[in-house]
Amino acid sequence: MPARAASFRSVFAVAGFRRIWLAHLLSVAGDQLARVALTVLVFDRTSSAGWASAAYALTFVPDLLGGALGGIADRFSRRTVMVVTDVGRAVLIALMAVPGLPLPVAAALLFLVQLMAGPFHAARQAMLPDLLDPDRLVVGQAVISSTYQAGLVVGFGAGAAVVTGLGVPGALLIDAGTFALSALMLHFGLERFPPSAPAHHERPSLIAGCRLVARDRKLRWLLLIACCCGFYVVPEGLAVPVTAELGGAGALPWLLAANPVGSVLGGLLLSRVPRERQIRVLGALAVASSLVLIPTGWAPGLVTIVVLWTISGVFSAHDMITQTQYSLAAPPAHRGQVIGVAIAALRAAQAVGIAAAGLLAQVVAPTTVVTVAAGAGVLVAGVAGVGWSRAVSSRRGPGVGPLGGTTPVGEHGS
């Protein structure tokens, strides 16, 4: 009989995790506030909705490049990487609050702010297995993922309210303060984990990280499962044209909130499932994330589509399982590099998926595009799920854990 899942109380009992979670909460709030503030600033200066949308999209581009910098977390103390990137973001955002700053300069500063997010996230993810044992790690990952999704749900409204009340400069200064506070909490609340890679190791890079992933069958299949988000993220990218197809402007908030709300609910549900069972159902959940979207093209109306997209979000919470197993399967000394590869790959998959869907939506109905993307997602997720199941089952044996390695608790020093 599988062991019971770890509780949220046992996860928050770890002081280091509490500090990381609070820093993450501040980071999510700061990111959303910066995006809204820059969008408002651009619209006020240009009176162009197109330029305002482009400015918001710009905030996601550096994440693709930032993933390539994840190996920094293997060369320096991971606490130091998080603190330095937080301080850097606080300074850059404070500079953005300078009155009369030219728009190209503000956009460049925000680009650098988002670029620093890559090393920060890689260092945080690489540190979590050092703080939590495998059973608590998946619950901790659920907390991190749910906090991010909840931030997306409330971020637009809260960010807009702050910008309206304090103006763009005031909102940006508060944003800078969130990163400064995060840096202080991490510096004084975490142990200084030493560099995980010896000085004689080759300098970390995205190419070196790709080689590490390519040599490990578990990491390869997990990365492919993670990249299936490029299919079930299409509804988010097509929410505006789908709203137009449905003929009701009031549908947009419901469509945008469906997946994040579902993801939060799914994370809460999956965190109660024992780890061994999570590993077994990972492939099926990845398939279901896209499968449930297929009827979108024939759905009779808004309510049905919102329900389908929300259920897809529930299944897409398997991402927390994928991230947990990926972190545990990564070589501890190179965990930052391997996580950096995943960050870059996920952003690339999302960008390609949304861009391709947008082009296809020029010639066919947007809801039909969602159905086509979902069908492709089912096929890719099915292949990845079978590969993952075989990789796990082939590595089991006497005294071997479900991931194919010896018990990770001792290995990672939790």
Side-chain angles (χ1 to χ4, degrees):
M1 182 176 179
R4 295 180 61 185
S7 66
F8 287 97
R9 177 178 296 181
S10 68
V11 171
F12 279 101
V14 179
F17 177 80
R18 291 199 302 273
R19 303 294 191 279
I20 285 182
W21 176 74
L22 286 172
H24 175 62
L25 181 62
L26 290 169
S27 176
V28 170
D31 284 345
Q32 286 299 102
L33 193 55
R35 287 176 178 134
V36 173
L38 181 65
T39 303
V40 172
L41 178 64
V42 171
F43 185 77
D44 286 345
R45 296 270 189 92
T46 66
S47 299
S48 168
W51 280 112
S53 299
Y56 185 83
L58 176 67
T59 64
F60 292 96
V61 174
D63 291 341
L64 175 60
L65 302 176
L69 304 177
I72 293 175
D74 294 330
R75 303 299 298 179
F76 303 97
S77 160
R78 285 163 181 159
R79 184 193 71 175
T80 299
V81 171
M82 288 191 288
V83 170
V84 169
T85 52
D86 265 348
V87 170
R89 288 186 285 184
V91 172
L92 291 171
I93 291 175
L95 291 175
M96 289 172 58
V98 174
L101 192 70
L103 283 180
V105 175
L109 290 174
L110 186 59
F111 186 94
L112 293 176
V113 168
Q114 294 301 121
L115 191 65
M116 289 185 178
F120 180 92
H121 293 157
R124 185 194 66 210
Q125 289 298 111
M127 184 184 287
L128 285 177
D130 295 321
L131 297 172
L132 303 172
D133 61 69
D135 289 316
R136 286 189 292 183
L137 179 59
V138 70
V139 180
Q141 190 61 62
V143 172
I144 295 292
S145 298
S146 297
T147 299
Y148 175 74
Q149 295 295 339
L152 293 181
V153 174
V154 304
F156 289 108
V162 173
V163 172
T164 301
L166 300 178
V168 171
L172 289 174
L173 288 177
I174 289 179
D175 186 11
T178 65
F179 286 112
L181 180 58
S182 173
L184 289 173
M185 285 177 19
L186 293 172
H187 180 72
F188 293 105
L190 291 178
E191 296 180 16
R192 186 184 181 278
F193 287 93
S196 57
H200 64 268
H201 278 209
E202 65 175 291
R203 187 171 298 278
S205 67
L206 186 62
I207 294 177
C210 289
R211 291 197 189 106
L212 289 169
V213 174
R215 289 198 294 261
D216 189 293
R217 188 162 56 155
K218 295 193 302 295
L219 289 175
R220 291 199 305 269
W221 290 120
L222 285 167
L223 185 59
L224 183 56
I225 289 175
C227 287
C228 287
C229 67
F231 299 105
Y232 55 78
V233 76
V234 166
E236 178 183 337
L238 294 183
V240 173
V242 168
T243 298
E245 182 182 347
L246 295 175
L252 183 59
W254 293 97
L255 294 176
L256 288 174
N259 187 273
V261 169
S263 296
V264 172
L265 295 175
L268 295 175
L269 292 173
L270 284 177
S271 65
R272 308 311 306 155
V273 177
R275 184 167 63 101
E276 292 80 4
R277 189 172 298 167
Q278 291 176 356
I279 295 171
R280 290 197 299 270
V281 302
L282 176 56
L285 292 173
V287 170
S289 299
S290 291
L291 181 64
V292 73
L293 293 173
I294 289 180
T296 297
W298 304 283
L302 173 64
V303 174
T304 304
I305 290 179
V306 169
V307 170
L308 292 173
W309 291 14
T310 302
I311 296 174
S312 174
V314 172
F315 288 128
S316 73
H318 74 266
D319 178 62
M320 74 177 195
I321 305 173
T322 308
Q323 291 185 50
T324 299
Q325 306 310 325
Y326 191 87
S327 297
L328 292 173
H334 301 285
R335 200 181 289 141
Q337 282 180 271
V338 172
I339 290 173
V341 171
I343 293 173
L346 261 61
R347 286 304 185 190
Q350 291 172 332
V352 171
I354 291 176
L359 291 175
L360 187 57
Q362 300 296 317
V363 294
V364 299
T367 52
T368 302
V369 176
V370 174
T371 294
V372 171
V378 168
L379 293 177
V380 176
V383 171
V386 171
W388 163 248
S389 297
R390 290 177 176 174
V392 172
S393 61
S394 66
R395 298 289 292 274
R396 291 177 185 253
V400 178
L403 288 172
T406 54
T407 304
V409 180
E411 179 184 4
H412 299 308
S414 294

